[in-house]
Amino acid sequence: METDTTTLSPESLRAEMVAKVRAGGWAERGEVERVLRDTPRHRFLPDADLELAYHPYRAVVTHRFDNGRSLSCASAPWLVAGMLDQLDVQPGHRVLEIGAGTGYNACLLAQLTGRADLVTTVDINPDVAARASRALADTGFGGVHVVTGDGVLGYPEHAPYDRMIATVSPWDLPAPWWQQLAPGGRLVAPLRWRGQGRSVAFTRTGDRLVSDSLVLCGFVYLVGDGEGELSGAITSDGLVTLHWDRDQDVRPDALLGVLDQPRVTTWSDVTLGRQESHEDLWLRLTATDPRVCRLGVTGDVPPEVCDPVPGYWRMALVDGGTLAYLTLRRVTIADEARCELGVIGHGPAAAELTEHLCGEIRAWAPDRHRHSPTLTVHPAGAPDSELAGTAIDKTHSRFVLTYDDPPR
C-alpha cells in the first residue's frame, strides 16, 4: 500500500527518502546519511511539490535551454548519496564543485567538511548560480563560495582542492582540474566515453588518476566541454541517430540509409532475469573494441525499422558501412520469464558483425556479476609504453580501462 504523501510533513518525507536510499545500497557512509536526513531538500526546490522534492529516484529539472533540453537539475537523491559516498569528504577538506545546480549538493558538502567557506561551487549560468546562492543563504550556508564562471577552468583562487566533484557530465577531464587537485586528492565525475556514462571516483596518484568505483548514471552535459562527442542521423527522417567519440573512425555518410538494407538477426543464447542488466557489457567492450558507439532511437520508430533493447540510448558497433546493435526477445526457461540477448545487423558485413557481437555477449555472460574494471586516466602526452591497455584518447587525457581478468 502506497503512502499518502499529501498528509506527510517534509521531515517525514525526508526520513522516508533516506530509508529508501539506504535500502537501495546508497548513503553507506554514516555521515552521508546524516546530512541527507538533516538537510531540507525542498527549500532548494521551491517550485517542486514535496512528493517530487523527496522522491528518492527522480531528478528535478530546474532550468532548460530554449530548445527544451535540460540545462540544470537537482539529481535524484540516490545518485547524490552515491556520489558523496564515492567522494569521501572528511572534516576540513577543501572542496570544489563543478555545477552549482540548486545549491543542495553544496549544502551537503559544507556539512561534510564542517565549514561552508571551504566549499566552492561554480556554474556557467548566472541565473543558476544566483538561485543557488540565494538558497544557500536562506538555509544558513551563505558562506559557500558561489562563482559564476566556466567550470572547465575550475577555480584556481581556492586551489589546491582535497576533493573535487562534477555534477555535470564532462566528455574529458579538463587540464585545470588536474592542476587544481591536490596530490592524493579525490575527484568524482560522471564521465562519458564510447557513448555510455559512469560516475567515476578517482584518487590522484602521481601524474595519473586511478579509479576505485564506477556507478552507472546520466547527467546534464558540461557546457564548454568542446565537441568531443559527434552525432549524425542515419535515417532520412532523423529519428535514428548515431553518436561517437571524436577519435573514432566513423563516417555517418556511409551509414545513412543503412537500416533500409536487409536485416540479419543472430541470437546469443544468453538470457537475463527481470532484475539483471546488460549495461556492463557495454562498459566491458569499451576496453577492447574501438567500434563501440551509441544509437539514439525515438519512440516513433517502428520495430520493423529498428528494434533495439528498451531505452533511448543503446549500444551499437559500427564498421564502415555496417551497423550492429543489441536486441532482445522474451523467452520462458523452467517457467521463468526471461529475455534473450541478440544482435541485429545491417550492411555489407552484417552477418560477421552480428556473430562477433554475440560472441562478445557469450564471453561476458559467465563473469557479469563478478568483475569490475579500473579506469586510469593519464595526461594527454603520456606515451603508449606507460599505459596498461589500449587508450581512448581525449583532448586533455588518455583513458585506459582494464580488468583483472582481461576481456576475451
Side-chain angles (χ1 to χ4, degrees), residues 115-143:
R115 280 175 44 192
D117 65 312
L118 292 177
V119 177
T120 301
T121 184
V122 180
D123 205 286
I124 198 168
N125 186 288
D127 293 335
V128 172
R131 177 171 172 169
S133 183
R134 289 194 299 270
L136 285 162
D138 290 346
T139 51
F141 291 89

Side-chain angles (χ1 to χ4, degrees), residues 125-316:
N125 186 288
D127 293 335
V128 172
R131 177 171 172 169
S133 183
R134 289 194 299 270
L136 285 162
D138 290 346
T139 51
F141 291 89
V144 170
H145 302 281
V146 182
V147 177
T148 301
D150 188 348
V152 171
L153 303 177
Y155 194 69
E157 284 83 348
H158 295 160
Y161 298 100
D162 304 292
R163 298 290 187 266
M164 295 177 65
I165 183 169
T167 55
V168 285
S169 178
W171 179 79
D172 192 8
L173 289 174
W177 296 10
W178 290 74
Q179 297 158 5
Q180 295 170 30
L181 183 64
R186 287 180 68 79
L187 181 151
V188 173
L191 293 171
R192 293 174 282 129
W193 68 96
R194 300 299 187 248
Q196 50 87 60
R198 307 274 162 160
S199 175
V200 187
F202 296 101
T203 298
R204 180 174 175 180
T205 306
D207 62 349
R208 66 193 64 180
L209 301 171
V210 181
S211 78
D212 55 36
S213 174
L214 290 87
V215 175
L216 182 67
C217 67
F219 267 86
V220 172
Y221 288 2
L222 173 63
V223 177
D225 195 29
E227 296 298 327
E229 188 176 68
L230 307 175
S231 64
I234 61 172
T235 56
S236 59
D237 56 13
L239 297 180
V240 181
T241 54
L242 190 72
H243 303 256
W244 67 95
D245 287 342
R246 190 173 56 200
D247 67 315
Q248 292 180 284
D249 182 19
V250 173
R251 293 179 294 108
D253 57 317
L255 292 164
L256 188 61
V258 68
L259 296 178
D260 297 327
Q261 298 183 39
R263 173 183 290 192
V264 175
T265 305
T266 306
W267 295 101
S268 68
D269 295 323
V270 173
T271 64
L272 302 175
R274 188 182 301 274
Q275 301 301 321
E276 293 180 302
S277 170
H278 57 79
E279 294 290 351
D280 283 344
L281 169 65
W282 191 346
L283 175 65
R284 194 173 181 86
L285 282 178
T286 69
T288 59
D289 199 323
R291 301 172 296 179
V292 179
C293 302
R294 184 174 80 229
L295 195 66
V297 184
T298 72
D300 299 325
V301 177
E304 57 267 24
V305 174
C306 191
D307 189 20
V309 294
Y312 182 72
W313 301 122
R314 298 296 89 196
M315 187 192 79

Side-chain angles (χ1 to χ4, degrees), residues 270-279 310 328-333 335-340 368-369:
V270 173
T271 64
L272 302 175
R274 188 182 301 274
Q275 301 301 321
E276 293 180 302
S277 170
H278 57 79
E279 294 290 351
L328 55 79
R329 63 181 176 184
R330 289 185 172 84
V331 295
T332 301
I333 300 176
D335 296 327
E336 179 187 0
R338 297 181 67 83
C339 290
E340 181 183 3
R368 61 182 182 260
H369 300 302

Side-chain angles (χ1 to χ4, degrees), residues 2 11 29 56 62 70 139 154 165 220-221 288 323 344 346 377:
E2 294 188 1
E11 293 75 19
R29 299 181 184 275
T62 55
S70 176
T139 51
I165 183 169
V220 172
Y221 288 2
T288 59
L323 170 74
I344 293 174
H346 299 264
V377 179

